[in-house]
Amino acid sequence: MIKRRVILLGSLTLGGVSWAKPVLEEVASRHFLVTYDSEGLRVKGRLFLPAKTPAPGVLINHDGISGVTASTQERAKELADQGFVVFAPSYRGEDGSQGEIEIAQGEVADVIAGAQFLRSRAQVNPRPLGLVGMSHGALISLLASARNPELFGAVVFAYGVANIYTWYQFLKDSKQLGKDPLTLKTYGQGPEDVPENFRRRHGLAVVPQIQCPVLIIQGQKDSLTPPDQGQELAQALKQAGKSVELKVYPESGHGFLIYRNKIIKQVGSNSARYRESLAAWEATVGFLKKHLT
């Protein structure tokens, strides 16, 4: 068992902005728990280092609103073993981070601040960073790459929401629309009730600002984020003259890129779904190597 050690870094000044001191706590070999600054909040994340540095930097932006899961950490470590410096941020309100969950709003700032932290590391080469986002994290990644395009050289958008308006209607029609306080606060009674909330979360609106290549990964049997979300984003990017690849996996549903163990428990490691999970991950790694190395 590794003896834990805490590393205090000096304050950062990037782009004329002063950041509070990040804190790194080593929790395993080449695995650090990080506390960093985002809009005055102290936010958590996990840093995974490859065997050799300097190396390309990648942020892996998790799905849902429950923090960086064990499966996300497994994939982050796999990515580090492939030769990337990987940072997995826990957005505000998660995993002990300060603040409240905002759904693809303040979380975008958290990812950009995480990218600035990653850029400051000596282990990361000076090239643009990669973003790998799943579901909620996919929309966050898309918005972050549009807000600070100079930081990023590749985006993987896995089963994310690109058109917030049609997705909301899909959830409503399929009776999947939650009635919990966070859902009601975010989406109200729909676009006419809280138009600004929808406008700020509409991924298609930021397509003109995207400058880096985008890989869209989608399961054809996704019952939470239907395939037309990825298809519409791919079409919009193509029409805008952007570099985009769309890969649709016919037997897969939501979460298949990350939750490999769940697939094994449900249908086994000899299943088409499991093979598609491996294939999608291989496509992700290949895409990152192509555009970041």
Side-chain angles (χ1 to χ4, degrees):
M1 181 178 295
I2 192 166
K3 183 178 180 181
R4 289 188 173 220
R5 61 192 178 102
V6 176
I7 303 172
L8 298 175
L9 302 181
S11 60
L12 305 176
T13 301
L14 296 167
V17 179
S18 181
W19 304 81
K21 294 180 180 178
V23 177
L24 279 72
E25 180 183 3
E26 190 171 15
V27 295
S29 177
R30 296 189 279 121
H31 176 188
F32 297 82
L33 181 63
V34 180
T35 304
Y36 67 105
D37 184 82
S38 175
E39 296 188 327
L41 300 173
R42 296 299 276 172
V43 178
K44 306 290 185 178
R46 291 180 179 271
L47 178 69
F48 298 83
L49 299 179
K52 295 182 179 180
T53 61
V58 174
L59 290 96
I60 186 164
N61 298 321
H62 70 77
D63 56 351
I65 55 173
S66 298
V68 182
T69 64
S71 292
T72 302
Q73 292 180 48
E74 289 172 4
R75 300 293 86 75
K77 185 178 183 302
E78 280 187 12
L79 201 52
D81 290 342
Q82 289 287 334
F84 297 92
V85 179
V86 183
F87 186 62
S90 296
Y91 320 131
R92 55 190 62 194
E94 302 175 347
D95 293 335
S97 298
Q98 292 179 344
E100 298 180 355
I101 296 166
E102 299 181 13
I103 307 295
Q105 287 303 286
E107 293 88 349
V108 178
D110 299 339
V111 165
I112 291 172
Q116 296 280 17
F117 160 75
L118 199 58
R119 169 61 59 229
S120 75
R121 303 295 297 166
Q123 298 99 331
V124 179
N125 70 27
R127 299 189 61 173
L129 306 171
L131 291 166
V132 178
M134 292 71 61
S135 193
H136 182 206
L139 177 55
I140 292 169
S141 299
L142 191 69
L143 297 176
S145 65
R147 188 179 301 180
N148 282 71
E150 72 283 354
L151 278 175
F152 305 112
V155 175
V156 178
F157 182 93
Y159 38 87
V161 174
N163 187 330
I164 193 73
Y165 300 96
T166 58
W167 183 68
Y168 178 85
Q169 190 61 47
F170 166 79
L171 291 183
K172 192 174 180 179
D173 293 343
S174 60
K175 302 187 186 309
Q176 297 186 76
L177 189 61
K179 297 181 180 179
D180 58 282
L182 181 59
T183 297
L184 293 174
K185 178 182 177 181
T186 304
Y187 304 112
Q189 299 302 314
E192 294 183 0
D193 181 34
V194 284
E196 186 64 13
N197 287 13
F198 279 77
R199 185 194 66 78
R200 291 183 299 172
R201 294 172 173 86
H202 188 41
L204 296 181
V206 304
V207 163
Q209 286 76 53
I210 303 297
Q211 295 184 12
C212 63
V214 179
L215 171 62
I216 302 169
I217 289 177
Q218 179 67 50
Q220 185 65 38
K221 294 185 177 179
D222 195 327
S223 60
L224 182 60
T225 306
D228 60 5
Q229 290 290 320
Q231 293 163 356
E232 192 171 357
L233 177 60
Q235 183 179 11
L237 287 164
K238 287 179 181 177
Q239 288 179 344
K242 312 296 182 178
S243 174
V244 59
E245 299 177 46
L246 172 63
K247 292 186 177 293
V248 180
Y249 296 85
E251 297 301 321
S252 293
H254 203 72
F256 75 102
L257 183 64
I258 295 295
Y259 296 102
R260 208 174 289 165
N261 291 337
K262 183 178 179 180
I263 295 173
I264 292 175
K265 288 180 181 179
Q266 290 177 339
V267 293
S269 59
N270 292 322
S271 64
R273 284 170 56 190
Y274 185 73
R275 291 194 297 272
E276 287 181 355
S277 177
L278 295 178
W281 184 254
E282 184 178 355
T284 295
V285 175
F287 178 78
L288 295 172
K289 286 185 175 181
K290 176 181 178 180
H291 295 289
L292 301 181
T293 61

